[in-house]
Amino acid sequence: MKKRVLLPFLFLQIIISSHLQAQNPVDKFVSNALLKNANISIQVKDLKTGKEIHSYRANNATIPASTMKVVTTATALEIFGPDFRYETLLAYDGKIDTAGVLNGNLYIIGSGDPTLGSAKMGDPHFLSKWAEAVKKAGISKINGSIVPDESKFDNEGPNPKWTWDDIGNYYAPGIYALAYLDNTLRVTFKSGGIGTTPEIVNLNPKLQGLTIDNNLLSSSISFDSAYFYGSPKSMQRSVRGEIPANKPVFAVLAELPDPGLALAQALHKILSDQKIEVSSPPVTFSSRGFTFPSNTAIRVPLYTHYSVPLSQIIKEINEKSNNLYAEQVFKSLSLTRDAVATNKRSIEIIRNFLKAKGLDVNQLFQLDGSGLSPANSVSAGFLTDIMEYMYKKSKHKDTFFNSLAIAGKAGSIVGFLKNTPLNGKVFAKSGTISRVRSYTGYIIQDGREWVFCVMVNNSNGNSRQTLNRIENFLVDITKDKK
């Protein structure tokens, strides 16, 4: 008799439990036909209580793409502070004689500032101020050269863990102690009929000694599908791929092979324009046939250029997902420990700092500062932990929070969640590379203060389809929850 009463009751419990499980947003998300074979890591937490609301493989390392930038920017803010400014020093060696002739070299000594000549921020007239400083020092002629000194960074250039089809392009430039013009070369083509080779009609800047092996094709496409290739600092580059046919002007962006040299050449020109003769052309430390003074030679400071505050640089990184800025900041962390910055030391500094703050760095496998490398890996749990730390414990909370893109409103997620109840309510960093979509940030809505991370690798759909599923998931988890 008891069994006949219990069995229907148990059966009803199973039905109810199954129904509730089917309605669970996480189960609905991961069982989607496009995502069921993907590598997914999810965590959602309530910032007020610290309680985990949703989770799926939260401790599993997953390729993060540009969400890795929050690891870099959060650590840099904590170590440097928002008011930190990069310094670029103009100095000279030798002597200035009574006629105003400097018998020596003028040096541009970099420390990692990503903003020199940048289209994003900084003083667009900084070279004129440098030239004015040379004049004020009483120098009317330089019997020597202008030398870019990049010795505060190693000479690795592009991160070796980036892929070959990225290296050489504007979004994966070399990282040096001197950055200039966003380390970007603008190559303008004139294309003809389908199947013909477009003509290179202009380079900006005109870097002396640069040659480009042009293997590009004009085609019926309507977009830029050109890729540049070249090893670090090499003045021999090649371009392959396609651009639209029959375009009298079509510009493509590439990596600027030697930004320090380009900067020195620009300063050389502005000095010449202002009637300050420089006897020898700009050179780099690697130039052959040029003798430099010994390391013990005294350099006299002439002018110090200061960047905008780090808070502005961090905003460009997080809101616009600027790879160059992220990598310059990442590498310059090394200078808090060493005389020469390296990727290896910066990784160590980040790990040790975050470990000291109580984060489980065993879930962090970081190889660059921007997330461009597909060899990076991190868990959703780790990213939510660092975002939670910055929200609840950091004295730089406001700077960090205000640096994030806003769903449907600003930055790299301006189209994300635009026509949903979460429009303007999600403050986040996105990440996208081939076969990767990821988001981490905050949901501030109707009294909610949530931190979240959703990462999807290798879905069966395209990037846009994966994006739509992530949008649906975030909307689902915020329905009817206060």
Side-chain angles (χ1 to χ4, degrees), residues 71-84:
V71 178
T72 299
T73 55
T75 307
L77 269 178
E78 293 295 283
I79 291 176
F80 288 139
D83 298 325
F84 170 83

Side-chain angles (χ1 to χ4, degrees), residues 26 41-56 58 67 70 74 359 379-393 397 400-401 404 416 422 425-429 439-445 447-455 473-474 477-478 481:
V26 172
S41 187
I42 296 172
Q43 189 174 61
V44 183
K45 294 175 70 176
D46 189 319
L47 285 163
K48 294 178 180 177
T49 65
K51 179 183 177 182
E52 183 179 78
I53 301 170
H54 294 288
S55 178
Y56 180 80
T67 53
V70 301
L359 277 72
S379 70
F382 183 88
L383 288 181
T384 54
D385 282 349
I386 198 169
M387 300 295 279
E388 183 178 16
Y389 169 85
M390 293 303 292
Y391 194 87
K392 295 171 70 173
K393 298 181 180 180
K397 169 191 172 179
F400 183 77
F401 185 90
L404 297 170
F416 184 59
L422 290 176
K425 308 297 184 183
V426 172
F427 306 80
K429 180 73 200 75
Y439 294 84
T440 187
Y442 309 107
I443 299 172
I444 311 296
Q445 181 200 38
R448 301 184 186 96
E449 294 179 19
W450 289 359
V451 61
F452 75 93
C453 180
V454 181
M455 294 191 288
F473 169 73
L474 293 176
I477 65 173
T478 54
K481 289 183 181 288

Side-chain angles (χ1 to χ4, degrees), residues 86-90 130 133 301-306:
Y86 286 94
E87 297 181 7
T88 303
L89 179 66
L90 280 187
W130 290 12
L302 186 65
Y303 181 81
T304 301
H305 173 93
Y306 295 95

Side-chain angles (χ1 to χ4, degrees), residues 59-224:
N59 296 330
N60 285 47
T62 311
I63 301 171
S66 283
T67 53
M68 183 63 83
K69 289 183 173 73
V70 301
V71 178
T72 299
T73 55
T75 307
L77 269 178
E78 293 295 283
I79 291 176
F80 288 139
D83 298 325
F84 170 83
R85 294 173 186 261
Y86 286 94
E87 297 181 7
T88 303
L89 179 66
L90 280 187
Y92 65 89
D93 59 18
K95 299 291 184 180
I96 303 172
D97 66 20
T98 56
V101 177
L102 169 61
N103 293 293
N105 299 306
L106 183 64
Y107 295 87
I108 308 171
I109 305 170
S111 66
D113 182 1
T115 69
L116 292 173
S118 173
K120 313 299 181 183
M121 63 186 64
D123 183 356
H125 307 296
F126 75 99
L127 283 173
S128 295
K129 293 178 180 178
W130 290 12
E132 187 63 29
V134 172
K135 284 183 179 180
K136 285 184 178 179
I139 298 171
S140 58
K141 179 180 178 180
I142 298 173
N143 188 21
S145 184
I146 300 174
V147 183
D149 184 345
E150 300 171 296
S151 58
K152 287 190 177 181
F153 278 22
D154 65 13
N155 61 359
E156 193 169 59
N159 191 296
K161 298 300 182 180
W162 292 348
T163 59
W164 177 243
D165 57 339
D166 287 333
I167 292 174
N169 294 288
Y170 75 95
Y171 58 85
I175 305 303
Y176 306 103
L178 284 169
Y180 180 53
L181 297 175
D182 298 306
N183 289 8
T184 296
L185 175 72
R186 186 179 182 89
V187 184
T188 303
F189 294 91
K190 177 183 179 181
S191 63
I194 293 174
T196 62
T197 300
E199 175 189 358
I200 297 175
V201 295
N202 190 48
L203 299 177
N204 186 22
K206 291 178 172 62
L207 191 60
Q208 295 172 18
L210 175 62
T211 61
I212 299 176
D213 181 21
N214 184 5
N215 298 286
L216 208 57
L217 284 178
S218 304
S219 81
S220 60
I221 65 172
S222 60
F223 54 90
D224 171 10

Side-chain angles (χ1 to χ4, degrees), residues 313-474:
I313 295 172
I314 293 295
K315 185 172 178 63
E316 171 68 19
I317 295 171
N318 285 342
E319 185 179 79
K320 303 294 179 60
S321 206
N322 189 312
N323 289 338
L324 169 68
Y325 278 39
E327 295 296 340
Q328 295 287 142
V329 170
F330 168 73
K331 202 158 195 172
S332 62
L333 284 168
S334 290
L335 297 178
T336 61
R337 290 278 303 277
D338 297 336
V340 179
T342 63
N343 290 327
K344 182 178 179 181
R345 178 64 84 185
S346 291
I347 292 167
E348 179 185 316
I349 287 170
I350 289 174
R351 288 181 66 86
N352 288 343
F353 177 82
L354 295 177
K355 183 178 181 181
K357 297 299 180 182
L359 277 72
D360 184 2
V361 294
N362 290 323
Q363 298 175 33
L364 172 67
F365 302 90
Q366 184 175 18
L367 294 168
D368 66 17
S370 64
L372 186 59
S373 172
N376 287 309
S377 195
V378 64
S379 70
F382 183 88
L383 288 181
T384 54
D385 282 349
I386 198 169
M387 300 295 279
E388 183 178 16
Y389 169 85
M390 293 303 292
Y391 194 87
K392 295 171 70 173
K393 298 181 180 180
S394 173
K395 63 181 179 181
H396 307 306
K397 169 191 172 179
D398 291 342
T399 299
F400 183 77
F401 185 90
N402 292 332
S403 74
L404 297 170
I406 306 173
K409 300 293 185 182
S412 60
I413 60 172
V414 68
F416 184 59
L417 295 163
K418 192 171 185 66
N419 298 311
T420 75
L422 290 176
N423 181 35
K425 308 297 184 183
V426 172
F427 306 80
K429 180 73 200 75
S430 62
T432 306
I433 57 176
S434 180
R435 305 183 70 79
V436 174
R437 272 282 192 178
S438 59
Y439 294 84
T440 187
Y442 309 107
I443 299 172
I444 311 296
Q445 181 200 38
D446 299 332
R448 301 184 186 96
E449 294 179 19
W450 289 359
V451 61
F452 75 93
C453 180
V454 181
M455 294 191 288
V456 178
N457 296 175
N458 301 317
S459 76
N460 291 327
N462 60 39
S463 186
R464 181 65 203 180
Q465 289 171 321
T466 304
L467 167 64
N468 290 339
R469 300 313 184 275
I470 294 173
E471 287 179 313
N472 293 339
F473 169 73
L474 293 176

